[in-house]
Amino acid sequence: MWFVEKYDGIGLMIEGEKIFEKDGLQKIEIFSTKLGKMLVIDGKIQFSEADEKFYHEMLVHVPMLLHPEPKKVLIVGGGDGGAAREALKHEVESIKLVEIDENVIEACKKYIGIDEGALNDERVEIIIEDGIEFVKNCKEKFDVIIVDGSDPDAVSKPLISRDFYSRCSEIGEIFVTQSQSPFMQQEYFEAILKNSSPFSWRRIYLSFMPTYPSGMWSFMVASRHKISFRIEEIEKRYEERGIQTIHYTPRLHLASFTLPKWVEEIVKKYIE
Ligand code: SPD
């Protein structure tokens, strides 16, 4: 069968066999395809085994390497365990993973396994709760907050709200979120830029993600104070921490902040 992800007259088709389906808070489907196992939530591809590292490495190592000593990490979403797997490559003491939908964790553990054991690691505490409620009531502070949600059109919608960003700016030193495709989902991209003004420092970076709409994917890293970084420092931390990656490099880290002119112009509307 062909799985088709459709966007207003444009679609991405991937041939495969459906091996799992569950309807609950969200519709979860897993396909076996030429790109390996592929997770689909509410009709939207979350990753394939062939390209998930492109996404998770860029989502996690950019903020983690901007921090001199990331010990306490909060992951909002990320029930597949890919972000936790990458975060554990740093010398972290604890990771709180707050996932709203337990079915995502169970299905990914049973049928995919990209967490490579991270979801059972003793440093990782899994909390089944709405991320927005968790941060609202949270008394702890985190070195790095990583938001790994699905498209913000259903359960993930509050994860692009001003209230959520405002609370994260209070409890997190460095914050990162995936920020959709500037080409195919400009409305979401602009909503993220507009609502994230509680952070006084924000930067957009890009990566290539073949199974996401248009392949061009964006991320926003932010903090309540200015973060400056030099390639030498990022390279040193990457080496010292012994991080092994297949996609991320410190050179790519730096390059990914150089945006095409049309993306720069969208960003400039919200960030000086
Ligand atoms: N269009 C899909 C966007 C999904 C982003 N999150 C993916 C979750 C993978 N951990």
Side-chain angles (χ1 to χ4, degrees), residues 5 7 44-47 55-56 78 80 148-151 178 180 185 212-213 217:
E5 182 171 327
Y7 284 90
K44 304 281 161 51
I45 298 171
Q46 300 303 305
F47 62 81
Y55 169 87
H56 290 118
D80 50 71
D148 183 19
S150 49
D151 289 304
Q178 65 95 4
Q180 310 290 136
Q185 300 166 314
Y212 286 177
W217 207 250

Side-chain angles (χ1 to χ4, degrees), residues 22-86:
K22 187 162 182 178
D23 250 320
L25 183 62
Q26 312 175 95
K27 181 175 177 185
I28 299 168
E29 296 167 285
I30 298 176
F31 295 83
S32 175
T33 75
K34 286 220 164 67
L35 300 173
K37 305 271 176 50
M38 182 173 85
L39 175 68
V40 175
I41 297 184
D42 288 340
K44 304 281 161 51
I45 298 171
Q46 300 303 305
F47 62 81
S48 76
E49 284 180 298
D51 65 359
E52 60 86 10
K53 289 194 168 120
F54 302 178
Y55 169 87
H56 290 118
E57 289 183 6
M58 292 302 285
L59 174 71
V60 172
H61 298 306
V62 169
M64 293 292 280
L65 286 160
L66 289 178
H67 197 289
E69 226 182 340
K71 295 284 180 212
K72 288 186 69 177
V73 176
L74 170 66
I75 299 176
V76 178
D80 50 71
R85 176 198 70 210
E86 293 305 317

Side-chain angles (χ1 to χ4, degrees), residues 7 149-152 160 177-183 185-186 188-189 192 206 213 216-219:
Y7 284 90
S150 49
D151 289 304
I160 65 164
T177 181
Q178 65 95 4
S179 49
Q180 310 290 136
S181 167
F183 182 68
Q185 300 166 314
Q186 194 174 329
Y188 287 151
F189 183 60
I192 291 165
L206 298 175
M216 173 196 253
W217 207 250
S218 73
F219 303 85

Side-chain angles (χ1 to χ4, degrees), residues 3-7 10-14 45 210-213:
F3 169 79
V4 189
E5 182 171 327
K6 292 181 192 154
Y7 284 90
I10 302 172
L12 172 65
M13 290 173 68
I14 298 184
I45 298 171
T211 57
Y212 286 177

Side-chain angles (χ1 to χ4, degrees), residues 39-269:
L39 175 68
V40 175
I41 297 184
D42 288 340
K44 304 281 161 51
I45 298 171
Q46 300 303 305
F47 62 81
S48 76
E49 284 180 298
D51 65 359
E52 60 86 10
K53 289 194 168 120
F54 302 178
Y55 169 87
H56 290 118
E57 289 183 6
M58 292 302 285
L59 174 71
V60 172
H61 298 306
V62 169
M64 293 292 280
L65 286 160
L66 289 178
H67 197 289
E69 226 182 340
K71 295 284 180 212
K72 288 186 69 177
V73 176
L74 170 66
I75 299 176
V76 178
D80 50 71
R85 176 198 70 210
E86 293 305 317
L88 286 172
K89 292 179 179 173
H90 300 256
E91 285 160 11
V92 297
E93 278 166 8
S94 68
I95 298 178
K96 282 200 160 58
L97 189 153
V98 180
E99 167 62 60
I100 195 169
D101 191 347
E102 194 167 17
N103 289 337
V104 174
I105 298 180
E106 279 171 12
C108 289
K109 265 185 170 177
K110 184 158 179 202
Y111 294 95
I112 310 184
I114 61 158
D115 69 300
E116 294 172 10
L119 294 173
N120 293 321
D121 191 287
E122 57 185 15
R123 290 164 291 175
V124 180
E125 180 187 353
I126 296 174
I127 300 162
I128 305 299
E129 193 182 340
D130 185 348
I132 188 117
E133 285 305 313
F134 178 86
V135 300
K136 206 189 282 174
N137 304 317
C138 182
K139 305 271 182 285
E140 272 178 88
K141 300 240 168 163
F142 299 93
D143 297 315
V144 177
I145 300 180
I146 298 166
V147 181
D148 183 19
S150 49
D151 289 304
D153 46 17
V155 299
S156 290
K157 197 168 178 187
L159 299 183
I160 65 164
S161 65
R162 182 172 298 269
D163 283 353
F164 178 71
Y165 291 136
S166 175
R167 189 66 192 129
C168 287
S169 74
E170 291 163 359
I171 63 169
E173 187 64 24
I174 297 188
F175 172 92
V176 76
T177 181
Q178 65 95 4
S179 49
Q180 310 290 136
S181 167
F183 182 68
M184 294 275 283
Q185 300 166 314
Q186 194 174 329
E187 271 181 37
Y188 287 151
F189 183 60
E190 291 206 37
I192 291 165
L193 287 165
K194 183 165 177 252
N195 295 341
S196 58
S197 60
F199 293 103
S200 55
W201 181 85
R202 293 175 287 162
R203 291 290 177 275
I204 295 293
Y205 62 100
L206 298 175
S207 188
F208 170 59
M209 188 56 192
T211 57
Y212 286 177
S214 82
M216 173 196 253
W217 207 250
S218 73
F219 303 85
M220 182 187 72
V221 62
S223 177
R224 57 182 181 278
H225 41 110
K226 188 174 179 233
I227 310 280
S228 36
F229 55 93
R230 292 176 306 111
I231 176 108
E232 295 79 11
E233 199 162 35
I234 301 293
E235 270 168 349
K236 190 164 170 266
R237 289 176 185 166
Y238 180 74
E239 293 303 324
E240 280 175 359
R241 296 181 198 177
I243 310 290
Q244 298 294 319
T245 48
I246 62 143
H247 184 86
Y248 173 94
T249 64
R251 285 188 313 285
L252 183 61
H253 180 134
L254 202 66
S256 65
F257 286 86
T258 303
L259 307 175
K261 189 173 177 189
W262 63 270
V263 181
E264 231 172 38
E265 276 164 11
I266 301 172
V267 174
K268 267 193 211 147
K269 291 201 259 173

